[in-house]
Amino acid sequence: MGDRKRYPSDVTDEQWELIGPFLQAWKAKRVAVSVSGREGDYDLREIVNAIFYQNRTGCQWAYLPHDLPPKSATYYYFALWRDDGTDQVIHDLLRCQAREKVGRREDPSAVVLDTQSIRAANHVPAVTTGKDAAKKVPGRKRGLAVDALGLVIAVVVTAASVTDNAIGIRLLDKVVEHTPTVSRAWVDAGFKQDLALHGAVLGVDVEVVKRSDTQPGFVPIRKRWIVEQVNGTLMLHRRLTREYESRPESSVSRTLWASTANIVRRLTGTSTPSWRHR
């Protein structure tokens, strides 16, 4: 980090001890260099700081502060880690540590599924977006599968016109592929019978948890409330409040990095000040 003033989103020394070894191991395996031949000129910790800064503030690539690595370097690593799955590997290994820290097994036995419609910025390609007919939101849909602790297990990003059922099926496929220990999933009434049938084929019991129409005001819904809380926590990362990414894969990576930032704070007992903090 050198002598520059620290940003609130920067990883602490304790947090970097969790993330750093994975990236150093990744770097050690790299043989090829970048097209410019300059790969390795930038500290990987500073690259992560730049990604966290952009995630947290929502700034454009060209507006990254001058004392962080430039857009060219930051995007190079962001795209590289997105395409080779490094972001997913780091996230999943840290998630296992977070579960073990509270006395849980590495992998969960149950997940909660939900979708969230996000408006797209005007530069996002129309071919990757649509309109959520129910919520009247033009843009994309983010589907999440989380465990009972609120840790993200799988992410799917599609056009907003895609049905919850289709997204749920893709989420279950990813959950079973990466976390075969899952045998139960809780969903809301937006997910239909096709998802339950697909879950049965995969060996996952899908249960619809309906809200109560008899109790007035806000009532946390059994089992499902945790995924709503995760959506709210992710929204603190302003880059996720609107769809700015040209590729849905980049949106998935953004979500994984935001979740990774949340996990390392959970593991180290630290927090990132929000705009509410004076």
Side-chain angles (χ1 to χ4, degrees), residues 35-218:
V35 175
S36 66
R38 294 173 59 86
E39 184 174 289
D41 284 1
Y42 295 99
D43 182 0
L44 293 183
R45 178 171 177 173
E46 284 291 78
I47 296 294
V48 172
N49 283 336
I51 293 173
F52 280 8
Y53 179 94
Q54 191 179 37
N55 254 17
R56 193 75 186 196
T57 65
C59 74
Q60 295 167 294
W61 282 106
Y63 284 75
L64 283 171
H66 294 303
D67 52 2
L68 286 174
K71 165 189 173 181
S72 56
T74 303
Y75 181 77
Y76 171 78
Y77 282 100
F78 172 79
L80 192 60
W81 293 336
R82 174 199 66 200
D83 295 340
D84 70 6
T86 297
D87 53 3
Q88 180 88 54
V89 170
I90 292 173
H91 174 271
D92 290 352
L93 290 173
L94 290 174
R95 185 194 69 221
C96 291
Q97 291 183 32
R99 287 183 56 84
E100 289 181 325
K101 184 179 179 181
V102 295
R104 301 290 187 107
R105 294 181 178 177
E106 282 190 1
D107 295 318
S109 60
V111 293
V112 190
L113 310 185
D114 194 24
T115 65
Q116 183 180 30
S117 295
I118 310 292
R119 290 184 179 275
N122 56 9
H123 69 273
V124 176
V127 69
T128 66
T129 63
K131 187 172 184 178
D132 184 334
K135 298 177 182 176
K136 305 296 188 293
V137 175
R140 290 189 180 138
K141 242 180 215 180
R142 183 186 303 129
L144 292 181
V146 307
D147 66 7
L149 299 177
L151 300 172
V152 174
I153 305 299
V155 185
V156 169
V157 176
T158 69
S161 53
V162 176
T163 64
D164 286 1
N165 231 30
I167 294 174
I169 288 173
R170 289 178 57 181
L171 278 172
L172 277 188
D173 286 340
K174 293 186 75 170
V175 166
V176 171
E177 179 184 356
H178 297 290
T179 319
T181 54
V182 170
S183 60
R184 177 176 288 271
W186 292 288
V187 300
D188 64 23
F191 295 88
K192 306 303 180 184
Q193 187 63 22
D194 287 349
L195 178 61
L197 294 174
H198 188 72
V201 172
L202 297 175
V204 179
D205 180 22
V206 178
E207 178 185 346
V208 176
V209 182
K210 297 181 179 180
R211 68 182 182 188
S212 172
D213 293 326
T214 60
Q215 295 177 272
F218 172 75

Side-chain angles (χ1 to χ4, degrees), residues 232-243:
T233 304
L234 290 176
M235 287 299 100
L236 292 174
H237 300 263
R238 293 190 175 186
R239 189 78 181 190
L240 300 182
T241 60
R242 186 177 289 267
E243 268 298 325

